[in-house]
Amino acid sequence: MKINHYLCNINSMIMEPVNRIKIVLFEKSRTSKWLSEQMGVTPSTVSKWCTNVSQPDLNSLLKIADLLEVDIKELIVREYKSYLLSQESSKK
C-alpha cells in the first residue's frame, strides 16, 4: 500500500511545463520551423524547447519574445492571462 501511495506522489510531481513557447507559436500562427530559422538554430532545438526537454537561455528567450512580439512573461508564466488579470486588479 505504501508503494502505491509513493507512485501517486511521483505522478503528481511530473514536471509541469516551464515555458509556453509552443502555445505562443500557435497563438501567433507561427511554426517551430519559422522560429528555428529566425533564431539560427536547428528545428530539433526548437522542438526540445517546445516539449520542455531543454530550455532556451535567457538571451534566446528574450529574442523569442521579440520575434513573437510578446512580453517575455508570456513565455514563462504558466497562466499568463490569469496573471494579467491579477496585475490589473492589484493596480485598482
Side-chain angles (χ1 to χ4, degrees):
M1 200 64 145
K2 286 184 179 182
I3 293 172
N4 188 26
H5 177 69
Y6 179 72
L7 291 175
C8 290
N9 285 339
I10 289 174
N11 287 336
S12 67
M13 293 187 299
I14 292 175
M15 185 180 196
E16 292 190 32
V18 176
N19 68 59
R20 299 180 65 249
I21 295 172
K22 183 177 182 178
I23 295 166
V24 176
L25 279 170
F26 177 78
E27 290 172 351
K28 296 290 184 168
S29 300
R30 297 292 186 173
T31 64
S32 57
K33 182 179 178 188
W34 172 85
L35 184 59
S36 70
E37 291 169 354
Q38 298 299 309
M39 295 290 295
V41 298
T42 65
S44 65
T45 297
V46 174
S47 176
K48 289 176 184 177
W49 294 341
C50 289
T51 57
N52 290 307
V53 171
S54 68
Q55 299 301 317
D57 62 32
L58 186 55
N59 287 333
S60 296
L61 202 57
L62 287 166
K63 186 173 179 180
I64 293 166
D66 287 344
L67 289 168
L68 294 174
E69 299 176 339
V70 296
D71 187 312
I72 192 170
K73 292 176 191 168
E74 190 166 345
L75 297 175
I76 56 177
V77 175
R78 197 172 292 129
E79 297 292 331
Y80 185 71
K81 290 183 178 27
S82 298
Y83 168 79
L84 283 179
L85 291 173
S86 70
Q87 294 299 309
E88 287 180 17
S89 64
S90 67
K91 290 179 184 177
K92 293 179 181 179

